[in-house]
Amino acid sequence: MKNQITSALSDFFFEYETPRQVLVRNRRVGVVCRLIQLGVLVYIIGWVFIYEKGYQSTDTAVSSVFTKMKGVGYTNNSGGERVWDVADYVFPSQGDSSFVVMTNYIMTEGQSMGTCPELPGKHNCNTDADCEGGSFKRTGNGEMTGVCVNRTKTCEVLAWCPVEDDRDVPDPPLLLSAENYTLFIKNSVTFPAFGVSRSNLVEDVDSNYISSCLYHPLSAPLCPIFKLGDIIKLSGLNFQTVAKVGGAIGIVVDWTCNFDVHVKHCKPEYTFHGLYGSKEGSSVGYNFRFARHYMEDKIQKRTLLKVFGIRFDIIVQSLARKFDIIPTLTAIGSGVGIFGVATVVCDLVLLYLLPKREFYKNMKFKYTDTQVQDPDSEAGSTETDVSKK
């Protein structure tokens, strides 16, 4: 028993096994093998390393966005002149990455809490029985009192009176001057895996440049100041059409960087997308209501605005790459493993498709008779007649 264990350990540590290879001189199989290997090589170099950059590790950025609007608008609606500045037409005013610029509105002034008739079409009636007191209608403006107003043939409601009449949207939009407003975007990104921080105010963008530049995709692609009319145009929409009923624009700040070169080459690229505008449908554009409350003669009143505006969503997308030995070795190792496909395919062709497949089987495999053991034979077994042919 001791001798057997010693022999087994000696064989394990001091013997080396290698597979037997058979050289097959067959042009068709040789060409198939080389073509498959060439395809694998092209895949590894072209797709894995050049296109997918499998030799680099990747990271996405942590980012922050600040915005600032500038511009003044003027309206003269029904003889009432008014100047609109940033505090009036931007919602919210904190400079977030998502905000709305008002381009059109319906104003209902001097509303106070009381009873008044609904608008025609909201809840029509002929008698008081048609107006159920204490009930609400989803599209109504308040709680019904149970009274049918003969003058309008609509139900009386307890609400902010007079109720808003939004059936006619101003056309052309009241704040067409918004086309000339400017938007300043300040964006900072950090790639934690690589310890790199960047800002869209890159090396070429200083205070003198910012004071005079205006974004253009060709002549000024790094300028962080954008004219609203240019943004709408670059997104594929018409400004006057969108300004009437509102819409939404996506501004994408793309950081695609290669840190194998100098970090100064990591610069943002801006693209603009019309997310939704004024196409025909059951619900077009973008709007919301906003009220300003005040006291008059000890009575609480409000001015209600139905705001039609353009919503801007600033979206930061990023991908940074840098050489890393681990993904490089992984890509090379997987590529070498794929080379084994050529061997598998060629073996299938040799053993199952070619006319001399039986001959190649005899050359590739060595058959043994497990019932007869000859200690002097190779590998401790006796060859069968098939292997000796």
Side-chain angles (χ1 to χ4, degrees):
M1 184 67 176
K2 181 178 179 180
N3 293 336
Q4 292 179 350
I5 295 176
T6 304
S7 177
L9 291 175
S10 177
D11 292 343
F12 177 78
F13 284 105
F14 303 111
E15 289 185 356
Y16 169 73
E17 297 178 357
T18 182
R20 183 175 65 175
Q21 293 184 341
V22 178
L23 179 61
V24 179
R25 297 186 180 276
N26 187 296
R27 292 184 178 180
R28 285 179 293 182
V29 177
V31 170
V32 170
C33 181
R34 298 300 175 243
L35 287 176
I36 295 175
Q37 290 176 341
L38 180 63
V40 172
L41 188 63
V42 170
Y43 165 76
I44 295 172
I45 296 176
W47 178 264
V48 175
F49 281 96
I50 297 178
Y51 185 79
E52 289 291 335
K53 295 179 174 57
Y55 58 91
Q56 295 176 316
S57 59
T58 61
D59 188 26
T60 56
V62 179
S63 68
S64 65
V65 176
F66 303 95
T67 59
K68 183 184 293 185
M69 290 291 306
K70 285 189 176 181
V72 176
Y74 168 82
T75 59
N76 186 358
N77 190 20
S78 301
E81 292 185 304
R82 181 166 182 172
V83 173
W84 301 79
D85 61 14
V86 175
D88 296 317
Y89 61 73
V90 176
F91 306 89
S93 58
Q94 290 84 2
D96 291 341
S97 60
S98 180
F99 59 93
V100 178
V101 176
M102 181 171 65
T103 55
N104 204 5
Y105 63 88
I106 297 173
M107 182 182 293
T108 308
E109 296 182 288
Q111 285 187 322
S112 61
M113 188 61 63
T115 58
C116 51
E118 270 282 16
L119 288 176
K122 292 288 186 180
H123 200 154
N124 297 333
C125 64
N126 294 312
T127 65
D128 292 347
D130 296 328
C131 304
E132 183 182 352
S135 62
F136 297 86
K137 190 176 181 181
R138 184 178 63 85
T139 57
N141 290 288
E143 180 186 35
M144 287 188 287
T145 63
V147 176
C148 179
V149 181
N150 292 326
R151 177 173 53 87
T152 60
K153 291 297 181 181
T154 58
C155 295
E156 184 184 69
V157 293
L158 174 64
W160 287 95
C161 299
V163 295
E164 178 191 58
D165 186 356
D166 61 350
R167 291 172 294 180
D168 295 321
V169 179
D171 190 12
L174 298 175
L175 285 172
L176 270 178
S177 57
E179 186 174 8
N180 296 316
Y181 298 166
T182 57
L183 167 65
F184 172 66
I185 298 177
K186 186 176 181 181
N187 173 220
S188 299
V189 296
T190 298
F191 297 95
F194 303 133
V196 176
S197 296
R198 295 288 288 167
S199 169
N200 65 329
L201 307 181
V202 294
E203 289 78 7
D204 300 330
V205 179
D206 54 20
S207 57
N208 293 329
Y209 179 77
I210 292 177
S211 63
S212 60
C213 77
L214 194 63
Y215 175 84
H216 188 276
L218 299 178
S219 60
L222 294 177
C223 180
I225 299 177
F226 307 83
K227 183 179 175 182
L228 259 59
D230 294 338
I231 294 176
I232 304 302
K233 183 178 179 180
L234 290 170
S235 67
L237 300 177
N238 177 271
F239 184 85
Q240 183 166 343
T241 304
V242 176
K244 177 184 175 183
V245 294
I249 303 296
I251 302 176
V252 177
V253 185
D254 180 61
W255 294 88
T256 301
C257 302
N258 181 8
F259 291 142
D260 288 336
V261 297
H262 197 280
V263 70
K264 71 178 182 179
H265 297 291
C266 179
K267 299 178 180 180
E269 293 184 2
Y270 303 96
T271 55
F272 310 91
H273 307 274
L275 303 182
Y276 58 87
S278 56
K279 296 181 180 179
E280 294 297 328
S282 58
S283 178
V284 298
Y286 176 80
N287 65 79
F288 62 93
R289 287 174 173 82
F290 174 74
R292 293 188 173 98
H293 292 261
Y294 61 94
M295 297 295 291
E296 184 178 280
D297 298 331
K298 298 182 179 181
I299 299 174
Q300 185 179 10
K301 292 188 176 183
R302 73 176 189 178
T303 298
L304 177 67
L305 287 93
K306 183 175 182 179
V307 176
F308 299 89
I310 303 173
R311 173 177 172 143
F312 294 91
D313 293 308
I314 302 175
I315 304 164
V316 179
Q317 62 182 28
S318 59
L319 181 64
R321 297 177 179 274
K322 190 175 184 180
F323 175 79
D324 192 336
I325 190 62
I326 294 178
T328 302
L329 295 177
T330 302
I332 293 174
S334 61
V336 171
I338 297 175
F339 269 104
V341 173
T343 302
V344 174
V345 173
C346 291
D347 282 349
L348 291 175
V349 173
L350 279 174
L351 303 178
Y352 299 102
L353 299 179
L354 293 183
K356 297 182 178 180
R357 52 184 176 271
E358 294 299 329
F359 171 76
Y360 291 124
K361 285 182 182 179
N362 293 336
M363 291 293 101
K364 183 174 178 61
F365 301 110
K366 182 177 182 180
Y367 299 91
T368 61
D369 186 353
T370 58
Q371 300 298 325
V372 181
Q373 296 292 331
D374 184 357
D376 297 329
S377 64
E378 182 183 334
S381 63
T382 302
E383 297 181 359
T384 64
D385 292 339
V386 178
S387 62
K388 294 178 180 179
K389 291 181 181 180

